[in-house]
Amino acid sequence: MSVWDDVVGQERAVSVLRRASEDPGAMTHAWLITGPPGSGRSNAARAFAAALQCHAGGCGHCQDCTTTLAGTHADVTVVATEKVTFTIDEVRRLVGLAQRSPAGGRWRVIVLEDADRMTERTSNVLLKAIEEPPPRTVWLLCAPSPEDVVVTIRSRSRRVSLRVPPVEAVAALLVERDGAAPEVADAAARAAQSHIGLARRLARDPEARERRDRTLTLAATIRGVGDAVMTAAELVDVATAEAKAATADRDAAERTALLRSLGAEDAQTLPPALRAQVRQLEEDQKRRATRAQRDVLDRALVDLLSLYRDVLVRQLGAQVDPVNVAHTEAVERLAREGSPEQTVRRMDAIGEARTRIEGNVAPLLAMEAMAVALRPQG
Ligand SMILES: [Zn+2]
């Protein structure tokens, strides 16, 4: 067993990172780990951090390995942001931390998960830190692609790129690590299109599988404008409920912790000067809920895209494995009822909805326009 076991389907990247962790001569102070969503960027960064701290190159069971992977190692800091960009103060704080020698570990490792979410001004603060790093500090920057990071940072970091792992590798991970049944693991890896996090959720959570199936079934059975409007409303409702379920516990815990730190039992007894802090938290939580709802909707739209991609594959008679093995019947019917051109237009409508939701158009409006475009055309 080793910390690299969970970095699936990335043999090339792993061999580079592994060598760097074992040979100080192959080590660099700033790394840029890139790969499409779900390829396991943060997973790879954590495994690398553990291998750097471990005295046996990432054995997977020592104190250094387990605490790094669990996110509690004193010398490994992992930061991500749910905001559009990191604030300059957040990055300054990290730069300050980077100046300190490791407390007990071999390296001070800072993992910046959304290195693409930075304004140019903030990037410049980070750049200075990367240019003159203390001898025991390592920065691991993660982003979807090198182009997402400003060129000055890109050129000073060593790049490692991850690929979309093969479906078989993801399915094997779900079986070995999570004990999923092979058929469930295979269907989940396919449905998630090798996105490891999504595949794991689908394999573990029957409700997530049901929601996904429901999304596809709803869309595939739209017959007219009335169905389309109802389907759009239901898709938005499901996304809202799912986002709420995902954030509710955390919101409550944060609120309790904040009130406790302010020395109050509830917000009413707070002096007005402190109430602003509670309001700030509420605003942050509201923003996070909005973002979670949009993320869930986007995922539903990606699922829909995969359904029509299967339809197109079928219409063109291409020799490619379907993504949605459980929806063969709907795929065949949709393929029969329309032309490849219509399928492409529907996929465009789904893509358009994704762009609009990302651009802050009211989700219901964007979903309605899309659902109307999905109905059978004469
Ligand atoms: Zn170890």
Side-chain angles (χ1 to χ4, degrees), residues 3 50-51 53-66:
V3 291
Q53 300 295 9
C54 175
H55 290 266
C59 67
H61 45 74
C62 72
Q63 176 87 358
D64 284 318
C65 284
T66 50

Side-chain angles (χ1 to χ4, degrees), residues 162-242:
L162 306 181
R163 57 177 189 146
V164 174
V167 165
E168 297 72 29
V170 175
L173 176 79
L174 298 179
V175 171
E176 286 157 23
R177 255 280 303 257
D178 303 325
E183 325 76 71
V184 174
D186 181 71
R190 257 173 227 291
Q193 297 181 65
S194 289
H195 186 301
I196 297 167
L198 287 185
R200 176 167 278 152
R201 243 175 72 128
L202 285 173
R204 271 186 191 161
D205 180 0
E207 280 178 27
R209 291 204 289 276
E210 261 164 47
R211 272 194 301 268
R212 186 178 187 282
D213 282 340
R214 177 95 186 118
T215 300
L216 300 192
T217 309
L218 273 174
T221 50
I222 294 174
R223 307 311 298 178
V225 175
D227 293 347
V229 171
M230 268 160 46
T231 297
E234 179 162 353
L235 291 176
V236 173
D237 284 349
V238 170
T240 312
E242 191 179 341

Side-chain angles (χ1 to χ4, degrees), residues 61-376:
H61 45 74
C62 72
Q63 176 87 358
D64 284 318
C65 284
T66 50
T67 54
T68 301
L69 295 180
T72 54
H73 194 294
D75 294 321
V76 179
T77 307
V78 180
V79 264
T81 186
E82 271 148 356
K83 297 189 211 117
V84 180
T85 55
F86 279 107
T87 64
I88 200 159
D89 287 339
E90 283 169 319
V91 173
R92 279 201 186 113
R93 193 179 61 76
L94 292 175
V95 169
L97 185 67
Q99 297 305 317
R100 305 220 304 257
S101 319
R106 303 170 65 209
W107 300 90
R108 175 165 298 282
V109 184
I110 301 179
V111 181
L112 204 55
E113 285 195 350
D114 308 290
D116 51 316
R117 294 192 190 169
M118 248 185 276
T119 61
E120 187 143 5
R121 204 167 137 240
T122 310
S123 296
N124 286 335
V125 173
L126 177 63
L127 179 64
K128 288 212 189 73
I130 290 179
E131 279 176 329
E132 295 152 17
R136 314 296 308 163
T137 294
V138 185
W139 289 87
L140 306 180
L141 313 176
C142 304
S145 76
E147 290 69 36
D148 291 316
V149 177
V150 294
V151 65
T152 42
I153 288 192
R154 204 191 311 161
S155 64
R156 280 167 187 79
S157 313
R158 182 143 160 222
R159 285 184 237 170
V160 173
S161 55
L162 306 181
R163 57 177 189 146
V164 174
V167 165
E168 297 72 29
V170 175
L173 176 79
L174 298 179
V175 171
E176 286 157 23
R177 255 280 303 257
D178 303 325
E183 325 76 71
V184 174
D186 181 71
R190 257 173 227 291
Q193 297 181 65
S194 289
H195 186 301
I196 297 167
L198 287 185
R200 176 167 278 152
R201 243 175 72 128
L202 285 173
R204 271 186 191 161
D205 180 0
E207 280 178 27
R209 291 204 289 276
E210 261 164 47
R211 272 194 301 268
R212 186 178 187 282
D213 282 340
R214 177 95 186 118
T215 300
L216 300 192
T217 309
L218 273 174
T221 50
I222 294 174
R223 307 311 298 178
V225 175
D227 293 347
V229 171
M230 268 160 46
T231 297
E234 179 162 353
L235 291 176
V236 173
D237 284 349
V238 170
T240 312
E242 191 179 341
K244 206 172 261 165
T247 51
D249 290 349
R250 194 165 141 200
D251 285 357
E254 281 176 353
R255 193 184 168 84
T256 310
L258 175 66
L259 287 174
R260 195 176 305 132
S261 76
L262 297 175
E265 282 302 309
D266 62 82
Q268 270 72 45
T269 59
L270 273 182
L274 295 180
R275 251 175 249 160
Q277 296 203 38
V278 177
R279 238 180 351 254
Q280 179 64 46
L281 177 71
E282 285 168 352
E283 272 164 31
D284 285 350
Q285 291 182 339
K286 212 159 108 194
R287 255 198 301 277
R288 191 162 71 199
T290 306
R291 177 159 175 149
Q293 187 212 34
R294 281 169 204 269
D295 286 350
V296 172
L297 273 176
D298 191 61
R299 206 159 63 223
L301 290 171
V302 171
D303 288 339
L304 274 184
L305 262 183
S306 75
L307 180 76
Y308 287 95
R309 170 250 185 224
D310 284 350
V311 172
L312 190 63
V313 163
R314 178 89 202 165
Q315 286 172 325
L316 300 176
Q319 298 300 311
V320 187
D321 282 344
V323 172
N324 301 287
V325 273
H327 294 265
T328 313
E329 220 171 283
V331 167
E332 281 179 5
R333 180 174 53 74
L334 289 166
R336 258 196 327 272
E337 287 176 356
S339 65
E341 292 73 26
Q342 283 172 338
T343 306
V344 170
R345 274 204 296 278
R346 286 174 177 153
M347 292 173 82
D348 285 345
I350 298 168
E352 174 72 19
R354 292 184 70 197
T355 311
R356 296 179 72 197
I357 288 173
E358 181 65 38
N360 279 343
V361 169
L364 188 57
L365 281 181
M367 296 300 274
E368 277 178 358
M370 175 207 72
V372 168
L374 292 183
R375 75 193 199 283

